[in-house]
Coordinates of all heavy atoms in Angstrom, one line a residue:
M4 N -14.7 -7.7 -7.2 CA -14.2 -8.3 -5.9 C -13.7 -7.2 -5.0 O -13.3 -6.1 -5.5 CB -13.0 -9.3 -6.2 CG -13.5 -10.6 -6.6 SD -12.4 -11.8 -5.8 CE -13.3 -13.2 -6.1
N5 N -13.6 -7.5 -3.8 CA -13.2 -6.5 -2.8 C -11.6 -6.5 -2.7 O -11.0 -7.6 -2.7 CB -13.8 -7.0 -1.5 CG -13.5 -6.1 -0.3 OD1 -12.3 -5.7 -0.1 ND2 -14.5 -5.7 0.4
T6 N -11.0 -5.3 -2.6 CA -9.6 -5.2 -2.6 C -9.0 -5.9 -1.4 O -7.9 -6.6 -1.6 CB -9.2 -3.7 -2.5 OG1 -9.8 -3.0 -3.6 CG2 -7.7 -3.5 -2.6
L7 N -9.6 -5.9 -0.3 CA -9.1 -6.6 0.9 C -9.0 -8.1 0.7 O -8.0 -8.7 1.0 CB -10.0 -6.3 2.1 CG -9.7 -7.1 3.4 CD1 -8.2 -6.8 3.9 CD2 -10.7 -6.7 4.5
F8 N -10.0 -8.7 0.1 CA -10.0 -10.1 -0.1 C -9.0 -10.5 -1.1 O -8.3 -11.5 -1.0 CB -11.4 -10.6 -0.4 CG -12.4 -10.5 0.7 CD1 -13.5 -9.7 0.6 CD2 -12.1 -11.2 1.9 CE1 -14.4 -9.6 1.7 CE2 -13.0 -11.1 3.0 CZ -14.1 -10.3 2.9
L9 N -8.8 -9.7 -2.1 CA -7.8 -9.9 -3.2 C -6.4 -9.9 -2.6 O -5.6 -10.7 -2.9 CB -7.9 -8.9 -4.3 CG -9.2 -9.1 -5.2 CD1 -9.3 -8.0 -6.2 CD2 -9.2 -10.4 -5.9
L10 N -6.1 -8.9 -1.7 CA -4.8 -8.8 -1.0 C -4.6 -10.0 -0.2 O -3.5 -10.6 -0.2 CB -4.7 -7.5 -0.2 CG -4.6 -6.2 -1.0 CD1 -4.7 -5.0 0.0 CD2 -3.2 -6.2 -1.7
M11 N -5.6 -10.4 0.6 CA -5.5 -11.6 1.5 C -5.2 -12.8 0.7 O -4.5 -13.7 1.1 CB -6.6 -11.7 2.4 CG -6.7 -10.6 3.4 SD -8.1 -10.6 4.5 CE -8.1 -12.2 5.2
A12 N -5.9 -13.0 -0.5 CA -5.7 -14.1 -1.3 C -4.3 -14.1 -1.9 O -3.6 -15.1 -2.0 CB -6.7 -14.2 -2.5
E13 N -3.8 -12.9 -2.3 CA -2.5 -12.8 -3.0 C -1.4 -13.1 -2.0 O -0.4 -13.8 -2.2 CB -2.3 -11.4 -3.6 CG -0.9 -11.3 -4.2 CD -0.7 -10.0 -4.9 OE1 -1.7 -9.2 -5.1 OE2 0.4 -9.6 -5.3
Y14 N -1.5 -12.5 -0.8 CA -0.4 -12.6 0.2 C -0.6 -13.8 1.2 O 0.3 -14.1 2.0 CB -0.2 -11.3 0.9 CG 0.3 -10.2 0.0 CD1 -0.5 -9.2 -0.4 CD2 1.6 -10.2 -0.4 CE1 -0.1 -8.2 -1.3 CE2 2.1 -9.3 -1.3 CZ 1.2 -8.3 -1.7 OH 1.7 -7.3 -2.6
G15 N -1.9 -14.3 1.3 CA -2.1 -15.4 2.2 C -2.2 -15.1 3.7 O -2.2 -16.0 4.5
T16 N -2.3 -13.8 4.0 CA -2.4 -13.4 5.4 C -3.0 -12.0 5.4 O -3.0 -11.2 4.5 CB -1.0 -13.4 6.0 OG1 -1.1 -13.0 7.4 CG2 0.0 -12.5 5.3
A17 N -3.5 -11.6 6.6 CA -4.0 -10.3 6.8 C -2.9 -9.3 7.3 O -3.1 -8.1 7.3 CB -5.2 -10.3 7.8
Q18 N -1.8 -9.9 7.7 CA -0.7 -9.1 8.2 C 0.5 -9.3 7.1 O 1.2 -10.3 7.2 CB -0.2 -9.4 9.6 CG -1.4 -9.4 10.6 CD -2.1 -8.1 10.6 OE1 -1.5 -7.0 10.6 NE2 -3.4 -8.2 10.7
I19 N 0.6 -8.4 6.2 CA 1.5 -8.6 5.0 C 2.9 -8.1 5.4 O 3.1 -7.0 5.8 CB 0.9 -7.8 3.8 CG1 -0.5 -8.3 3.6 CG2 1.8 -8.0 2.6 CD1 -1.3 -7.4 2.6
P20 N 3.9 -8.9 5.1 CA 5.3 -8.5 5.3 C 5.5 -7.3 4.3 O 5.2 -7.4 3.1 CB 6.1 -9.7 4.9 CG 5.2 -10.9 5.1 CD 3.8 -10.4 4.8
L21 N 6.1 -6.3 4.9 CA 6.4 -5.0 4.1 C 7.3 -5.3 2.9 O 7.1 -4.8 1.8 CB 7.0 -4.0 5.0 CG 7.3 -2.6 4.3 CD1 6.1 -2.0 3.7 CD2 8.0 -1.7 5.3
G22 N 8.2 -6.2 3.1 CA 9.1 -6.6 2.0 C 8.4 -7.1 0.8 O 8.9 -7.0 -0.3
R23 N 7.3 -7.8 1.0 CA 6.5 -8.4 -0.1 C 5.6 -7.4 -0.8 O 5.2 -7.6 -1.9 CB 5.7 -9.6 0.4 CG 6.6 -10.7 0.8 CD 5.9 -12.0 1.1 NE 5.1 -12.4 0.0 CZ 3.9 -13.1 0.1 NH1 3.5 -13.5 1.3 NH2 3.3 -13.5 -1.0
C24 N 5.2 -6.3 -0.1 CA 4.3 -5.3 -0.7 C 4.9 -4.0 -1.0 O 4.2 -3.1 -1.4 CB 3.0 -5.2 0.1 SG 3.3 -4.5 1.7
A25 N 6.2 -3.8 -0.8 CA 6.9 -2.6 -0.9 C 6.7 -2.0 -2.3 O 6.6 -0.8 -2.5 CB 8.4 -2.7 -0.6
Q26 N 6.7 -2.9 -3.4 CA 6.5 -2.4 -4.7 C 5.2 -1.6 -4.9 O 5.1 -0.8 -5.8 CB 6.7 -3.5 -5.7 CG 5.5 -4.4 -5.9 CD 5.2 -5.4 -4.8 OE1 6.0 -5.6 -3.9 NE2 4.1 -6.1 -4.9
L27 N 4.2 -1.9 -4.1 CA 2.9 -1.2 -4.2 C 3.1 0.3 -3.9 O 2.3 1.1 -4.3 CB 1.9 -1.8 -3.3 CG 1.4 -3.2 -3.7 CD1 0.5 -3.8 -2.7 CD2 0.8 -3.2 -5.1
F28 N 4.2 0.6 -3.1 CA 4.5 2.0 -2.8 C 5.5 2.6 -3.7 O 6.0 3.7 -3.5 CB 5.0 2.1 -1.3 CG 4.0 1.5 -0.3 CD1 4.4 0.4 0.4 CD2 2.7 2.0 -0.2 CE1 3.5 -0.1 1.4 CE2 1.9 1.5 0.7 CZ 2.3 0.4 1.5
G29 N 6.0 1.8 -4.7 CA 7.0 2.2 -5.6 C 8.4 2.3 -4.9 O 9.2 3.1 -5.3
M30 N 8.6 1.4 -4.0 CA 9.9 1.3 -3.3 C 10.5 -0.1 -3.3 O 9.7 -1.1 -3.5 CB 9.6 1.7 -1.8 CG 9.1 3.1 -1.6 SD 8.7 3.3 0.2 CE 7.5 4.6 0.1
T31 N 11.7 -0.1 -3.0 CA 12.4 -1.4 -2.8 C 12.1 -1.8 -1.3 O 11.7 -0.9 -0.5 CB 13.9 -1.3 -2.9 OG1 14.4 -0.4 -1.9 CG2 14.3 -0.8 -4.3
P32 N 12.2 -3.1 -1.0 CA 12.0 -3.5 0.4 C 12.9 -2.7 1.4 O 12.4 -2.4 2.5 CB 12.3 -5.0 0.4 CG 12.0 -5.4 -1.0 CD 12.4 -4.2 -1.9
E33 N 14.1 -2.5 1.0 CA 15.0 -1.8 1.9 C 14.6 -0.3 2.1 O 14.6 0.1 3.3 CB 16.4 -1.8 1.3 CG 17.1 -3.1 1.2 CD 16.6 -4.0 0.0 OE1 16.0 -3.4 -1.0 OE2 16.7 -5.2 0.0
E34 N 14.2 0.4 1.1 CA 13.7 1.8 1.2 C 12.4 1.8 2.1 O 12.2 2.6 2.9 CB 13.4 2.4 -0.1 CG 12.9 3.8 0.0 CD 13.7 4.8 0.7 OE1 15.0 4.6 0.7 OE2 13.2 5.8 1.2
A35 N 11.5 0.8 1.8 CA 10.3 0.8 2.6 C 10.5 0.5 4.1 O 9.9 1.1 4.9 CB 9.3 -0.3 2.0
A36 N 11.5 -0.3 4.4 CA 11.8 -0.6 5.8 C 12.4 0.6 6.4 O 12.1 0.9 7.6 CB 12.8 -1.8 5.9
K37 N 13.2 1.4 5.7 CA 13.8 2.6 6.3 C 12.7 3.6 6.6 O 12.6 4.3 7.6 CB 14.8 3.3 5.3 CG 16.1 2.5 5.2 CD 17.0 3.2 4.2 CE 18.3 2.4 4.0 NZ 19.1 3.0 2.9
R38 N 11.7 3.7 5.6 CA 10.6 4.7 5.8 C 9.7 4.2 6.9 O 9.1 5.0 7.7 CB 9.9 4.9 4.5 CG 10.7 5.7 3.5 CD 9.8 6.1 2.4 NE 10.6 6.8 1.4 CZ 10.1 7.5 0.4 NH1 8.8 7.6 0.3 NH2 10.9 8.1 -0.4
A39 N 9.5 2.9 7.1 CA 8.7 2.4 8.1 C 9.2 2.8 9.5 O 8.5 3.1 10.4 CB 8.6 0.8 8.0
G40 N 10.6 2.7 9.6 CA 11.2 3.1 10.9 C 11.0 4.6 11.2 O 11.0 5.0 12.4
R41 N 10.7 5.4 10.2 CA 10.5 6.8 10.4 C 9.0 7.2 10.4 O 8.6 8.3 10.4 CB 11.2 7.6 9.3 CG 12.7 7.5 9.3 CD 13.4 8.5 8.4 NE 12.8 8.6 7.1 CZ 13.3 8.0 6.0 NH1 14.4 7.3 6.1 NH2 12.7 8.1 4.8
A42 N 8.1 6.1 10.3 CA 6.7 6.3 10.1 C 6.4 7.2 8.9 O 5.5 8.0 9.0 CB 6.1 6.9 11.4
A43 N 7.1 7.0 7.8 CA 7.0 7.8 6.6 C 6.4 7.0 5.4 O 6.6 7.4 4.3 CB 8.3 8.4 6.2
L44 N 5.6 6.0 5.7 CA 4.9 5.2 4.7 C 3.5 5.8 4.6 O 3.0 6.4 5.5 CB 4.9 3.7 5.0 CG 6.2 3.0 4.9 CD1 6.0 1.6 5.4 CD2 6.7 2.9 3.4
P45 N 2.8 5.5 3.5 CA 1.4 6.0 3.4 C 0.4 5.2 4.2 O -0.7 5.6 4.3 CB 1.1 5.9 1.9 CG 2.1 5.0 1.3 CD 3.3 5.0 2.2
V46 N 0.9 4.1 4.8 CA 0.1 3.3 5.7 C 0.9 3.0 6.9 O 2.2 2.9 6.8 CB -0.5 2.0 5.1 CG1 -1.4 2.3 3.9 CG2 0.7 1.1 4.6
P47 N 0.3 2.7 8.1 CA 1.1 2.3 9.2 C 1.8 1.0 9.0 O 1.2 0.1 8.5 CB 0.1 2.3 10.4 CG -1.1 3.0 9.9 CD -1.1 2.9 8.4
A48 N 3.0 0.9 9.5 CA 3.7 -0.4 9.5 C 4.1 -0.7 11.0 O 4.3 0.2 11.8 CB 5.0 -0.4 8.7
F49 N 4.2 -2.0 11.3 CA 4.4 -2.3 12.7 C 5.2 -3.6 12.8 O 5.3 -4.3 11.8 CB 3.1 -2.5 13.5 CG 2.2 -3.6 12.9 CD1 2.3 -4.9 13.5 CD2 1.4 -3.3 11.9 CE1 1.4 -5.9 12.9 CE2 0.5 -4.3 11.4 CZ 0.6 -5.6 11.9
R50 N 5.8 -3.9 13.9 CA 6.6 -5.1 14.2 C 5.9 -5.8 15.3 O 5.4 -5.2 16.3 CB 8.0 -4.8 14.6 CG 8.8 -4.3 13.4 CD 10.2 -4.0 13.9 NE 11.1 -3.9 12.7 CZ 12.2 -3.3 12.7 NH1 12.7 -2.6 13.8 NH2 13.0 -3.2 11.7
V51 N 6.0 -7.1 15.3 CA 5.5 -8.0 16.4 C 6.7 -8.7 16.9 O 7.3 -9.4 16.2 CB 4.4 -9.0 15.9 CG1 4.0 -9.9 17.0 CG2 3.2 -8.3 15.3
G52 N 7.0 -8.4 18.2 CA 8.2 -9.0 18.8 C 9.3 -8.0 18.9 O 9.1 -6.9 19.4
S53 N 10.5 -8.3 18.5 CA 11.6 -7.5 18.7 C 11.9 -6.5 17.6 O 11.2 -6.5 16.6 CB 12.9 -8.4 18.9 OG 13.2 -8.9 17.6
Q54 N 12.9 -5.7 17.7 CA 13.2 -4.7 16.7 C 13.8 -5.4 15.5 O 13.9 -4.8 14.4 CB 14.3 -3.7 17.2 CG 13.7 -2.7 18.2 CD 14.7 -1.7 18.5 OE1 15.9 -2.0 18.7 NE2 14.3 -0.4 18.7
K55 N 14.1 -6.7 15.6 CA 14.6 -7.4 14.5 C 13.5 -8.2 13.7 O 13.8 -8.8 12.7 CB 15.7 -8.4 14.9 CG 16.9 -7.7 15.5 CD 18.1 -8.6 15.7 CE 19.3 -7.8 16.2 NZ 20.5 -8.6 16.2
S56 N 12.3 -8.1 14.2 CA 11.2 -8.7 13.5 C 10.9 -7.9 12.3 O 11.2 -6.7 12.2 CB 9.9 -8.7 14.4 OG 10.1 -9.4 15.6
P57 N 10.3 -8.6 11.3 CA 10.0 -7.9 10.0 C 8.9 -6.9 10.2 O 8.0 -7.1 11.0 CB 9.6 -9.0 9.1 CG 9.2 -10.1 10.0 CD 10.0 -10.0 11.2
W58 N 8.9 -5.9 9.4 CA 7.8 -4.9 9.4 C 6.6 -5.5 8.7 O 6.7 -6.3 7.7 CB 8.2 -3.7 8.6 CG 9.2 -2.8 9.3 CD1 10.5 -2.7 9.1 CD2 8.9 -1.9 10.3 NE1 11.1 -1.8 9.9 CE2 10.1 -1.2 10.7 CE3 7.8 -1.5 11.0 CZ2 10.2 -0.3 11.7 CZ3 7.8 -0.5 12.0 CH2 9.1 0.1 12.3
L59 N 5.4 -5.3 9.2 CA 4.2 -5.8 8.7 C 3.3 -4.6 8.4 O 3.3 -3.5 9.0 CB 3.5 -6.7 9.7 CG 4.3 -7.9 10.2 CD1 3.6 -8.6 11.3 CD2 4.5 -8.9 9.0
V60 N 2.3 -4.9 7.4 CA 1.3 -3.9 7.1 C 0.0 -4.6 7.2 O -0.2 -5.7 6.7 CB 1.5 -3.4 5.6 CG1 0.4 -2.5 5.2 CG2 2.9 -2.6 5.5
D61 N -1.0 -4.0 7.8 CA -2.3 -4.6 7.9 C -3.0 -4.5 6.6 O -3.1 -3.5 5.9 CB -3.1 -3.8 9.0 CG -4.5 -4.4 9.2 OD1 -4.6 -5.5 9.7 OD2 -5.5 -3.7 8.8
A62 N -3.6 -5.6 6.1 CA -4.2 -5.7 4.8 C -5.4 -4.8 4.7 O -5.7 -4.2 3.6 CB -4.7 -7.2 4.5
T63 N -6.1 -4.5 5.8 CA -7.2 -3.6 5.8 C -6.8 -2.2 5.4 O -7.4 -1.5 4.6 CB -8.0 -3.6 7.1 OG1 -8.4 -5.0 7.4 CG2 -9.2 -2.7 7.1
R64 N -5.7 -1.8 6.1 CA -5.2 -0.4 5.8 C -4.6 -0.3 4.4 O -4.8 0.7 3.7 CB -4.1 -0.1 6.8 CG -4.5 -0.1 8.3 CD -5.1 1.3 8.6 NE -5.5 1.3 10.0 CZ -5.0 2.2 10.8 NH1 -4.1 3.1 10.5 NH2 -5.4 2.2 12.1
L65 N -3.9 -1.3 4.0 CA -3.4 -1.3 2.6 C -4.5 -1.3 1.6 O -4.4 -0.6 0.6 CB -2.5 -2.5 2.4 CG -1.8 -2.6 1.0 CD1 -0.9 -1.4 0.7 CD2 -0.9 -3.9 1.0
A66 N -5.5 -2.1 1.8 CA -6.7 -2.1 0.9 C -7.3 -0.7 0.8 O -7.7 -0.2 -0.3 CB -7.7 -3.1 1.3
A67 N -7.5 0.0 1.9 CA -8.1 1.3 2.0 C -7.2 2.3 1.2 O -7.7 3.1 0.4 CB -8.3 1.8 3.4
Y68 N -5.9 2.2 1.4 CA -5.0 3.1 0.7 C -5.1 2.8 -0.8 O -5.2 3.8 -1.6 CB -3.5 2.8 1.1 CG -2.5 3.4 0.3 CD1 -2.2 4.8 0.3 CD2 -1.7 2.6 -0.6 CE1 -1.2 5.3 -0.5 CE2 -0.7 3.2 -1.4 CZ -0.5 4.5 -1.3 OH 0.5 5.1 -2.1
L69 N -5.1 1.6 -1.3 CA -5.2 1.3 -2.7 C -6.5 1.8 -3.3 O -6.6 2.3 -4.4 CB -5.0 -0.2 -3.0 CG -3.6 -0.7 -2.7 CD1 -3.6 -2.2 -2.8 CD2 -2.5 -0.1 -3.5
D70 N -7.6 1.6 -2.5 CA -8.9 2.0 -3.0 C -8.9 3.6 -3.1 O -9.5 4.1 -4.1 CB -10.0 1.6 -2.1 CG -10.3 0.1 -2.2 OD1 -9.9 -0.5 -3.2 OD2 -10.9 -0.5 -1.3
E71 N -8.3 4.3 -2.2 CA -8.2 5.8 -2.3 C -7.4 6.2 -3.5 O -7.9 7.1 -4.2 CB -7.6 6.3 -1.0 CG -8.4 6.3 0.2 CD -7.6 6.6 1.5 OE1 -6.5 7.2 1.4 OE2 -8.1 6.3 2.6
R72 N -6.3 5.5 -3.8 CA -5.5 5.9 -4.9 C -6.3 5.6 -6.2 O -6.2 6.4 -7.2 CB -4.2 5.1 -4.9 CG -3.3 5.4 -3.8 CD -2.7 6.7 -3.8 NE -2.0 6.9 -5.1 CZ -0.9 7.5 -5.3 NH1 -0.3 8.1 -4.3 NH2 -0.4 7.6 -6.5
K73 N -7.0 4.5 -6.3 CA -7.8 4.1 -7.4 C -8.9 5.1 -7.7 O -9.1 5.6 -8.8 CB -8.4 2.7 -7.2 CG -9.2 2.2 -8.4 CD -9.6 0.8 -8.3 CE -10.6 0.6 -7.1 NZ -11.2 -0.7 -7.0
A74 N -9.6 5.6 -6.6 CA -10.6 6.6 -6.7 C -10.1 7.9 -7.2 O -10.7 8.6 -8.1 CB -11.3 6.8 -5.4
Q75 N -8.9 8.3 -6.7 CA -8.3 9.6 -7.1 C -7.9 9.5 -8.6 O -8.1 10.4 -9.4 CB -7.0 9.9 -6.3 CG -6.4 11.2 -6.6 CD -7.3 12.4 -6.4 OE1 -7.9 12.5 -5.4 NE2 -7.4 13.2 -7.4
A76 N -7.3 8.4 -9.0 CA -7.0 8.2 -10.4 C -8.2 8.3 -11.3 O -8.1 8.9 -12.4 CB -6.2 6.9 -10.6
A77 N -9.3 7.7 -10.9 CA -10.5 7.7 -11.7 C -11.1 9.1 -11.8 O -11.5 9.6 -12.9 CB -11.6 6.8 -11.1
A78 N -11.0 9.9 -10.7 CA -11.4 11.3 -10.7 C -10.6 12.1 -11.6 O -11.1 13.0 -12.4 CB -11.4 11.8 -9.3
D79 N -9.3 11.9 -11.6 CA -8.4 12.7 -12.4 C -8.6 12.3 -13.9 O -8.7 13.2 -14.7 CB -6.9 12.3 -12.1 CG -6.5 12.9 -10.8 OD1 -7.2 13.7 -10.2 OD2 -5.4 12.4 -10.3
W80 N -8.9 11.1 -14.2 CA -9.2 10.6 -15.6 C -10.4 11.3 -16.1 O -10.5 11.8 -17.2 CB -9.3 9.1 -15.6 CG -9.4 8.6 -17.0 CD1 -8.5 8.3 -17.9 CD2 -10.7 8.3 -17.7 NE1 -9.0 7.8 -19.1 CE2 -10.4 7.8 -18.9 CE3 -12.0 8.4 -17.3 CZ2 -11.4 7.5 -19.9 CZ3 -13.0 8.1 -18.2 CH2 -12.7 7.6 -19.5
R81 N -11.5 11.3 -15.2 CA -12.8 11.9 -15.6 C -12.6 13.4 -15.9 O -13.1 14.0 -16.8 CB -13.8 11.7 -14.5 CG -14.4 10.3 -14.6 CD -15.6 10.1 -13.7 NE -15.4 10.5 -12.3 CZ -14.9 9.7 -11.4 NH1 -14.7 8.4 -11.7 NH2 -14.7 10.0 -10.2
R82 N -11.8 14.1 -15.0 CA -11.6 15.5 -15.1 C -10.9 15.8 -16.4 O -11.3 16.7 -17.1 CB -10.8 16.0 -13.9 CG -10.6 17.5 -13.9 CD -9.8 18.0 -12.7 NE -8.7 17.1 -12.3 CZ -7.5 17.2 -12.9 NH1 -7.2 18.0 -13.9 NH2 -6.5 16.4 -12.5
I83 N -9.9 15.1 -16.7 CA -9.1 15.3 -17.9 C -9.9 15.0 -19.2 O -9.9 15.8 -20.1 CB -7.8 14.5 -17.9 CG1 -6.8 15.0 -16.9 CG2 -7.1 14.5 -19.3 CD1 -5.7 14.1 -16.6
N84 N -10.6 13.9 -19.2 CA -11.4 13.5 -20.4 C -12.7 14.3 -20.5 O -13.1 14.5 -21.7 CB -11.7 12.0 -20.3 CG -10.4 11.2 -20.6 OD1 -10.0 11.3 -21.8 ND2 -9.9 10.6 -19.6
A85 N -13.2 14.9 -19.5 CA -14.4 15.8 -19.6 C -14.0 17.1 -20.2 O -14.8 17.8 -20.8 CB -15.0 16.0 -18.2
A86 N -12.7 17.5 -20.1 CA -12.3 18.8 -20.6 C -11.9 18.6 -22.1 O -11.1 19.5 -22.6 CB -11.1 19.3 -19.8
G87 N -12.2 17.6 -22.8 CA -11.9 17.5 -24.2 C -10.7 16.5 -24.5 O -10.3 16.4 -25.6
G88 N -10.3 15.9 -23.4 CA -9.2 14.9 -23.6 C -7.8 15.5 -23.5 O -7.6 16.7 -23.5
P89 N -6.8 14.6 -23.5 CA -5.4 15.0 -23.4 C -5.0 15.8 -24.7 O -5.5 15.6 -25.8 CB -4.6 13.8 -23.2 CG -5.6 12.7 -23.7 CD -7.0 13.2 -23.6
L90 N -4.1 16.7 -24.5 CA -3.5 17.4 -25.7 C -2.6 16.7 -26.5 O -1.8 15.9 -26.2 CB -2.9 18.7 -25.1 CG -3.8 19.7 -24.4 CD1 -3.1 20.8 -23.9 CD2 -4.9 20.2 -25.3

């Protein structure tokens, strides 16, 4: 299955509230919100409406980020295992 469709099925929307997906970045919702305000997340976050509106993350961008991380992990695994395995 496609990562984008899985994210949309899990969260029920293409614009995911940051508080609900913060754990994917290894952060609490509070830390993710602070980083969103500084544009310091690995994906863009935005608000619709006022400064009190919740931070949102586009599912397409989040899916691309997760796919990149998955590909990097697979490459690292292949590199380590091709060299004779872990010590």
Side-chain angles (χ1 to χ4, degrees):
M4 281 219 163
N5 183 310
T6 305
L7 174 59
F8 292 118
L9 292 173
L10 286 172
M11 289 176 56
E13 180 176 347
Y14 294 105
T16 181
Q18 307 306 319
I19 303 167
L21 181 59
R23 292 190 56 207
C24 66
Q26 78 282 357
L27 295 174
F28 305 118
M30 300 176 203
T31 64
E33 295 78 20
E34 177 62 24
K37 287 179 188 175
R38 288 190 185 197
R41 299 189 312 259
L44 289 173
V46 297
F49 60 96
R50 288 180 164 155
V51 178
S53 73
Q54 287 185 325
K55 294 189 179 194
S56 298
W58 287 102
L59 301 172
V60 174
D61 182 68
T63 304
R64 299 279 183 118
L65 182 56
Y68 167 75
L69 292 174
D70 287 341
E71 288 171 16
R72 297 292 304 220
K73 181 173 66 173
Q75 183 61 50
D79 291 346
W80 185 88
R81 283 191 303 274
R82 182 179 44 80
I83 290 169
N84 286 291
L90 298 175

